Amino acid sequence: SRSGKGCDMQVAYEPWLVLLSIVMAIQGAYVGFTLAVQLGAAIGMRRRVLLAGAAFSLAVAIWTMHFVGMLAARISFPVDYLVFPTLLSFLVCVLVVGVAVFAISSGPLSLARLALSACLMGVGIFSMHYIGMAALHASVHMEHAPAYVAASLVIAVAASGLALWLATGRARRP
């Protein structure tokens, strides 16, 4: 606790759950971006199905990575997850990631389109995480350090921008 009223909490992690979290993120991102790169050439119903599949796969990858990672934490008190905020965190992730993938695939890649898409996806990941943390119902009070919260937003946007840029295939072109 930053106020000095409590003590630092010791946390251990279950290695197999940490590994599962990483595997889920990689697998879901691979499927999601494989579908997303096909959006540019698709039209009509195929485009809508690819967009929905990409948004859903990427959101599942992001969401399960976070929640399985949270389940990997071994702490000394009971923890419950509230159903509504947990489901809301997933819905936010699907919707915002879907909008970001749509935005990046709706025309020629430009710095503005990439920045907008990265911001949308990053804010979606950031929002999903903190809504998910609000779903954590435990016998303790959590405080988030503002500097770490700001850093998590910057990292989410930057990582999203890199992932979207790589997914467009521009990184492989001379």
Side-chain angles (χ1 to χ4, degrees):
S1 158
R2 292 182 309 172
S3 64
K5 296 177 186 172
C7 60
D8 289 334
M9 178 177 63
Q10 296 298 320
V11 178
Y13 294 91
E14 192 67 50
W16 74 272
L17 284 172
V18 172
L19 181 61
L20 179 62
S21 172
I22 293 167
V23 168
M24 293 298 295
I26 292 169
Q27 186 274 334
Y30 177 79
V31 170
F33 283 124
T34 298
L35 296 173
V37 297
Q38 297 176 47
L39 281 167
I43 57 172
M45 179 59 81
R46 176 170 163 65
R47 181 172 173 77
R48 288 189 291 276
V49 169
L50 286 171
L51 179 60
F56 186 77
S57 293
L58 289 168
V60 166
I62 294 163
W63 190 80
T64 57
M65 178 192 68
H66 279 79
F67 274 90
V68 172
M70 288 169 56
L71 292 172
R74 295 294 173 234
I75 49 182
S76 60
F77 52 86
V79 175
D80 297 316
Y81 294 90
L82 300 173
V83 174
F84 178 73
T86 300
L87 295 177
L88 179 63
S89 71
F90 179 70
L91 180 62
V92 164
C93 196
V94 171
L95 293 175
V96 179
V97 167
V99 171
V101 170
F102 175 77
I104 197 75
S105 67
S106 292
L109 183 67
S110 66
L111 184 57
R113 185 180 301 279
L114 178 60
L116 172 66
S117 298
C119 286
L120 284 168
M121 186 178 247
V123 167
I125 293 168
F126 175 85
S127 300
M128 177 275 310
H129 175 74
Y130 285 100
I131 292 169
M133 291 303 290
L136 189 72
H137 184 252
S139 56
V140 297
H141 173 73
M142 285 189 296
E143 291 183 20
H144 301 289
Y148 289 130
V149 172
S152 71
L153 178 59
V154 170
I155 291 168
V157 170
S160 296
L162 178 60
L164 290 166
W165 180 66
L166 290 170
T168 64
R170 301 307 191 267
R172 293 186 296 273
R173 295 183 186 162

